[in-house]
Amino acid sequence: LDAADAPCAGKSEIHITGSLYRKEDMLKLANLSDILTFEIEHISMEGLKAVESSGKRVVPSSKTLEIIQDKGTQKQFYQSHQIPTTDFRLAADTSNWATLLDELEIEQQFVIKTRTGGYDGKGVEIAHRANLPLLLEKYINTPVVLEKPVDFTTELSVIVARDLEGNMQVYEPCEMVFDPVLNLVDTLVTPARISPKLSQLSKDLAVKTVSALEDAGIYAVEQFLTADGQLLVNETAPRPHNSGHHTIESCYSSQYDQLNRILFGWPLGNPSQKMPAAMINIIGPEGCHGTYRLSEASALLAIPGVYVHLYGKAETRPGRKLGHITILSEDMSKLEQLIQQVKSLVKII
Amino acid sequence: LDAADAPCAGKSEIHITGSLYRKEDMLKLANLSDILTFEIEHISMEGLKAVESSGKRVVPSSKTLEIIQDKGTQKQFYQSHQIPTTDFRLAADTSNWATLLDELEIEQQFVIKTRTGGYDGKGVEIAHRANLPLLLEKYINTPVVLEKPVDFTTELSVIVARDLEGNMQVYEPCEMVFDPVLNLVDTLVTPARISPKLSQLSKDLAVKTVSALEDAGIYAVEQFLTADGQLLVNETAPRPHNSGHHTIESCYSSQYDQLNRILFGWPLGNPSQKMPAAMINIIGPEGCHGTYRLSEASALLAIPGVYVHLYGKAETRPGRKLGHITILSEDMSKLEQLIQQVKSLVKII
């Protein structure tokens, strides 16, 4: 941990270097704070509870993070609240995988998610039953969620803001396009190119999910739209999310503005979208390590409606999120052209 | 000068406390910088030239600031470049005021501007010839510009960005509504409620003015639209301007984004406006000194399309700019309603 290198180091009046896995460091931050939030789920639960016991409010609370941090508990939460989700079984170890896969009627492909520690596509594997012997070895003592894959046409994400009093505001559904190689979100288009009816159902499902959590915060409720028109919740992130980055430029009130409002106890902002937006992640390419630059930055900055965000991370690594680009256009077909133009210019060297 | 109190103190990695009137302090900043800019005209010209002599580029340059800092020189500049402006005379002292006022055919009202040191309405006086004896005493040794008042219907401001290579981008004209009591801009509406033809002429005049300066930077070219439809340049500010604050939310690229682009040598951004905007200054009220708060902040934040900016100044003083509020609306008549609603809620206590 190098404080001088941290992108946030120069942006705040007080900067603490510490680990989100060390209770002592978390308490040190809490002592300086009136209210706290987090932007990553993988933090020490013991530390978070110690912060709350010290009398400081954390938004969202440890209760919510406990549900979300463990993908098995999260699945059970959806089930117990009648929130549609993909069929699944929990396995503490691999001893009964065969039975569980049978129960899920899986003959070929299935999804394995480690219950804890996954992030940005890590900890998620699309597996094939034919490879079962190897998989049983790999996951021998790892608690996992086994999921039946769904035939989905679109992956959606809906940002919901919930304030300390329980008021909610919901954003337009975002359509997430994954890069199958990196297993990372590649391009996002908001509003999603789905019918108004489905859009409303997707927003309703997101609100239902956040209502069930009964906690303040910014949430991204990721959903599958299946080939037969069903919406299933995949997972929920209890923090500002990649699928909400476009809100900085495209909405009256961004996901970050909403989070500020929530923490300060101010009224929620207006989530309406001013115009359609696309977002492209800037990701560290394969085989590229160390210092880097965005080689076509100048050409990108010259395109009207294009916003380049670089996070100021000191070094690139393959698959690392280095920044993102937001594109605005009043016209959806023009937006699609701009996406292609921008994608051809995003090069990290 | 108290560094800890400065609004910018916690926002930058390096913060220097110094005076813009002391050459030594300006050189200290220059030594740490690759390129410099300023956000106030009233800085030491000797210091600025010393910075340039040290080999550091300042945007805009001392040459431009020299023209603008002295309102007399600025007037002569307009005159020599055939840029329409109000009739004026320069007076080194009051000895020949009567002759100059006669030349301007002034019998009653006229405008007195001190050549240097004026800011935000200070240094500008609307005077009456009947009070001449008193005025001659007040301005006895002060070099001033005497101006013939114009019968204007609207005051406009046009922001122009000019990069290091001479490329320019121009924003929509902003309509400035002055508070006659504070002699400060009160409400601004952009685009100005004038005909498309006048709007284009106003933009052309702003571009002509900045072209004549032949220098990079962000400029606000303030103009009078006279009762008989003429556009006259009143004055030019060589920096991000109050009349461009709305661009943060209403335009693809804000005046601040443009200035960054200029300083970094990036292509200029898109000045197009996403939707109509109004801006209201938050000004320290009469009789109110010391710490303060915006009493109806919560009600203001609850209005969709309203953005509250407080500059973090530690203390209020009568007439001091403490912040501003931007209002966005797709519909101009709704925008006008929102202006009234917001104005009724802006209270500093």
Side-chain angles (χ1 to χ4, degrees):
Chain A
L1 287 166
D2 184 341
D5 265 11
C8 61
K11 304 286 184 295
S12 57
E13 292 183 30
I14 303 169
H15 180 246
I16 294 176
T17 308
S19 167
L20 291 167
Y21 300 101
R22 283 192 68 223
K23 188 175 76 174
E24 294 72 23
D25 292 346
M26 294 168 76
L27 283 169
K28 202 168 142 191
L29 179 63
N31 281 336
L32 293 164
S33 308
D34 295 314
I35 190 165
L36 295 98
T37 187
F38 47 85
E39 56 150 34
I40 183 164
E41 291 95 324
H42 304 291
I43 63 177
S44 161
M45 185 52 65
E46 189 200 345
L48 200 58
K49 287 185 173 177
V51 166
E52 288 176 336
S53 298
S54 81
K56 294 293 166 69
R57 181 153 188 178
V58 183
V59 173
S61 69
S62 62
K63 190 181 123 280
T64 295
L65 188 60
E66 244 174 350
I67 295 168
I68 285 171
Q69 217 174 38
D70 179 327
K71 286 180 180 169
T73 313
Q74 195 180 145
K75 276 293 203 181
Q76 290 174 316
F77 169 82
Y78 298 139
Q79 202 170 41
S80 66
H81 287 84
Q82 290 81 50
I83 292 164
T85 188
T86 54
D87 288 342
F88 69 97
R89 290 293 183 279
L90 305 185
D93 55 47
T94 52
S95 59
N96 62 340
W97 272 35
T99 314
L100 298 175
L101 293 175
D102 284 346
E103 286 176 16
L104 289 170
E105 297 174 352
I106 287 164
E107 287 172 16
Q108 302 188 1
Q109 281 203 324
F110 62 105
V111 182
I112 309 167
K113 291 180 179 170
T114 56
R115 287 189 62 162
T116 55
Y119 179 62
D120 271 355
K122 297 178 195 81
V124 177
E125 182 172 354
I126 317 262
H128 198 287
R129 194 155 177 170
N131 297 325
L132 201 56
L134 274 172
L135 294 165
L136 293 178
E137 208 169 299
K138 179 175 175 186
Y139 290 96
I140 183 159
N141 286 316
T142 311
V144 299
V145 183
L146 299 175
E147 274 184 48
K148 189 164 176 133
V150 284
D151 183 14
F152 64 87
T153 56
T154 311
E155 195 162 357
L156 304 168
S157 175
V158 177
I159 308 282
V160 178
R162 191 175 193 273
D163 72 13
L164 301 174
E165 292 167 1
N167 301 305
M168 286 190 274
Q169 289 288 4
V170 57
Y171 287 80
E172 288 305 310
C174 169
E175 181 183 337
M176 302 164 78
V177 184
F178 269 79
D179 180 318
V181 177
L182 291 168
N183 194 25
L184 264 173
V185 173
D186 173 51
T187 309
L188 298 93
V189 177
T190 318
R193 291 159 291 187
I194 56 176
S195 71
K197 192 188 158 193
L198 274 171
S199 175
Q200 189 57 53
L201 288 171
S202 173
K203 287 161 82 170
D204 292 347
L205 181 56
V207 167
K208 181 181 179 179
T209 304
V210 175
S211 299
L213 287 168
E214 296 184 316
D215 198 6
I218 287 287
Y219 299 89
V221 183
E222 295 183 32
Q223 304 166 27
F224 294 124
L225 172 59
T226 66
D228 59 350
Q230 298 297 304
L231 289 163
L232 304 174
V233 172
N234 179 27
E235 52 185 60
T236 300
R239 52 168 170 83
H241 190 254
N242 206 249
S243 65
H245 285 351
H246 71 93
T247 62
I248 297 170
E249 288 95 2
S250 75
C251 294
Y252 282 89
S253 178
S254 75
Q255 62 175 349
Y256 300 102
D257 178 52
Q258 297 282 19
L259 184 56
N260 272 333
R261 287 167 178 260
I262 293 164
L263 296 174
F264 282 103
W266 294 337
L268 289 176
N270 177 3
S272 304
Q273 202 167 344
K274 295 178 200 164
M275 61 181 75
M279 196 282 281
I280 294 170
N281 285 309
I282 302 174
I283 294 170
E286 285 304 316
C288 196
H289 292 261
T291 56
Y292 61 95
R293 61 188 188 87
L294 185 63
S295 63
E296 306 300 326
S298 201
L300 286 164
L301 287 166
I303 307 171
V306 167
Y307 298 85
V308 177
H309 297 255
L310 285 170
Y311 303 151
K313 295 180 182 177
E315 301 200 331
T316 182
R317 288 194 299 267
R320 191 177 198 196
K321 279 185 193 164
L322 303 173
H324 73 266
I325 294 175
T326 303
I327 312 167
L328 297 188
S329 179
E330 288 181 31
D331 177 315
M332 189 58 93
S333 70
K334 206 182 153 206
L335 186 66
E336 286 161 7
Q337 285 168 28
L338 283 170
I339 292 170
Q340 297 315 315
Q341 191 185 352
V342 167
K343 283 179 85 164
S344 73
L345 289 168
V346 177
K347 288 193 194 74
I348 289 289
I349 55 171
Chain B
L1 287 166
D2 183 341
D5 265 10
C8 61
K11 303 286 184 293
S12 57
E13 292 183 31
I14 302 169
H15 180 247
I16 293 176
T17 308
S19 167
L20 290 168
Y21 299 101
R22 283 192 66 223
K23 188 174 76 173
E24 295 72 24
D25 292 346
M26 293 168 77
L27 283 168
K28 202 167 143 191
L29 179 64
N31 282 336
L32 292 164
S33 307
D34 295 314
I35 190 165
L36 296 98
T37 187
F38 48 85
E39 55 149 35
I40 183 163
E41 291 94 324
H42 304 291
I43 64 178
S44 161
M45 184 52 66
E46 189 201 346
L48 199 58
K49 287 184 173 175
V51 166
E52 287 175 338
S53 298
S54 80
K56 294 294 166 70
R57 180 152 190 180
V58 183
V59 174
S61 70
S62 62
K63 191 182 121 280
T64 295
L65 188 60
E66 244 174 351
I67 296 167
I68 285 172
Q69 217 174 38
D70 180 326
K71 286 181 181 170
T73 313
Q74 195 179 146
K75 277 291 202 183
Q76 289 174 317
F77 170 82
Y78 298 139
Q79 203 169 42
S80 67
H81 286 85
Q82 290 81 49
I83 292 164
T85 188
T86 53
D87 288 342
F88 69 97
R89 289 294 183 279
L90 305 185
D93 54 47
T94 51
S95 59
N96 62 339
W97 272 36
T99 313
L100 299 175
L101 293 175
D102 284 345
E103 286 176 18
L104 289 170
E105 297 174 352
I106 287 163
E107 288 173 15
Q108 301 188 4
Q109 281 204 325
F110 62 105
V111 182
I112 308 167
K113 291 179 179 171
T114 57
R115 285 189 63 162
T116 55
Y119 181 61
D120 271 357
K122 296 175 196 83
V124 177
E125 180 172 357
I126 317 264
H128 198 287
R129 195 156 176 170
N131 298 325
L132 200 57
L134 274 172
L135 294 165
L136 293 179
E137 206 168 302
K138 179 175 175 186
Y139 291 96
I140 182 159
N141 286 315
T142 311
V144 300
V145 183
L146 300 174
E147 273 184 49
K148 189 166 173 128
V150 284
D151 183 14
F152 63 88
T153 56
T154 311
E155 194 161 359
L156 303 168
S157 175
V158 177
I159 308 282
V160 178
R162 192 174 191 273
D163 72 13
L164 301 174
E165 292 167 3
N167 302 304
M168 285 191 275
Q169 290 287 4
V170 57
Y171 287 81
E172 289 304 311
C174 168
E175 181 183 338
M176 302 164 78
V177 184
F178 269 78
D179 179 321
V181 177
L182 292 169
N183 194 24
L184 264 172
V185 173
D186 174 49
T187 308
L188 297 92
V189 176
T190 318
R193 291 160 291 187
I194 55 176
S195 72
K197 193 188 158 194
L198 274 171
S199 174
Q200 189 57 53
L201 288 171
S202 173
K203 287 161 82 171
D204 292 347
L205 181 55
V207 166
K208 181 180 179 178
T209 305
V210 174
S211 300
L213 287 167
E214 296 185 316
D215 197 6
I218 287 288
Y219 299 89
V221 183
E222 296 183 32
Q223 304 166 28
F224 295 123
L225 173 59
T226 66
D228 60 350
Q230 298 297 303
L231 288 163
L232 304 174
V233 172
N234 179 26
E235 53 185 61
T236 300
R239 52 168 169 83
H241 190 255
N242 206 248
S243 65
H245 285 351
H246 72 92
T247 62
I248 298 171
E249 288 95 1
S250 75
C251 294
Y252 282 90
S253 180
S254 75
Q255 63 175 350
Y256 301 101
D257 178 52
Q258 298 281 18
L259 183 57
N260 273 332
R261 288 167 178 260
I262 293 164
L263 297 174
F264 282 104
W266 294 337
L268 289 176
N270 176 5
S272 305
Q273 202 167 344
K274 296 179 201 164
M275 61 181 76
M279 196 281 282
I280 294 170
N281 285 309
I282 303 174
I283 294 170
E286 285 304 315
C288 195
H289 292 262
T291 56
Y292 61 95
R293 62 189 187 86
L294 186 63
S295 64
E296 307 299 326
S298 200
L300 286 164
L301 287 165
I303 307 171
V306 168
Y307 297 84
V308 177
H309 297 256
L310 285 170
Y311 303 151
K313 295 181 181 176
E315 301 199 333
T316 182
R317 288 195 300 268
R320 190 177 198 194
K321 279 186 195 164
L322 303 173
H324 73 268
I325 294 175
T326 303
I327 311 169
L328 297 187
S329 179
E330 288 181 31
D331 176 315
M332 189 59 93
S333 70
K334 207 184 152 204
L335 186 66
E336 286 162 6
Q337 285 168 29
L338 283 170
I339 293 171
Q340 296 316 315
Q341 191 186 352
V342 167
K343 283 179 85 164
S344 72
L345 289 168
V346 177
K347 288 193 193 75
I348 289 289
I349 55 171

